[in-house]
Amino acid sequence: MKKLLITLASTIALSSGADVQISMPPGSQCWSYQGRDTRFYGNFLGGQALTVAVVEQQSTEHAGMKAIAYNGEQVWVNGPNGYFRDGNRESNPNDPFIHTDKPGRYIFNLYEHGTGTEFPVFVKICAMRKDQAKTK
């Protein structure tokens, strides 16, 4: 019985869309992920400019597939000291970055409730110092 409960709990945890840790390789400014999770977290320094690129697959009404690409404006972001960016915000082509105000843990959700997805997604997050970010 105990083994059955552990198996059931593991199945529920795996199907609920686990958080994925952002861990950039040494010497790299970017991290990427491919899979079905849609909620990511990582520690960032204050004063950084982050770019987020997402490509996801969606089924079409005629049983086909299409790829949708978007950037950070459609990603929900939570961070230290009440930092919040809504995924429905207006895009700003003159400033495509997410700026980290304070150092700490930042959470990125592709969907408002971080539910996971039926089809694989590709996510790439890059970080640079704010003064290195090129804006138009």
Side-chain angles (χ1 to χ4, degrees):
M1 181 69 167
K2 185 176 182 181
K3 187 174 181 179
L4 177 63
L5 290 174
I6 291 172
T7 302
L8 181 60
S10 297
T11 302
I12 291 170
L14 289 174
S15 65
S16 65
D19 291 356
V20 176
Q21 183 174 4
I22 299 165
S23 180
M24 294 185 188
S28 177
Q29 290 181 296
C30 298
W31 169 86
S32 61
Y33 168 83
Q34 185 171 348
R36 294 190 173 157
D37 294 307
T38 60
R39 184 176 152 106
F40 313 96
Y41 70 93
N43 290 317
F44 292 91
L45 301 172
Q48 286 188 300
L50 308 178
T51 58
V52 179
V54 179
V55 178
E56 64 178 77
Q57 299 175 62
Q58 296 177 353
S59 59
T60 64
E61 58 189 50
H62 302 293
M65 297 293 292
K66 64 181 177 180
I68 306 293
Y70 55 92
N71 60 22
E73 282 97 10
Q74 295 180 17
V75 175
W76 280 260
V77 184
N78 293 84
N81 296 333
Y83 182 97
F84 175 73
R85 298 294 180 263
D86 188 301
N88 292 318
R89 64 191 175 278
E90 293 292 320
S91 68
N92 181 355
N94 293 327
D95 188 10
F97 302 99
I98 295 171
H99 298 281
T100 59
D101 297 334
K102 303 282 182 188
R105 180 178 167 144
Y106 286 79
I107 300 169
F108 303 84
N109 283 296
L110 302 188
Y111 306 113
E112 188 171 6
H113 302 292
T115 57
T117 182
E118 181 180 359
F119 303 108
V121 297
F122 175 80
V123 178
K124 185 171 187 175
I125 298 174
C126 296
M128 64 196 85
R129 287 191 329 250
K130 204 181 271 188
D131 62 348
Q132 290 178 323
K134 303 287 185 223
T135 58
K136 296 180 182 184

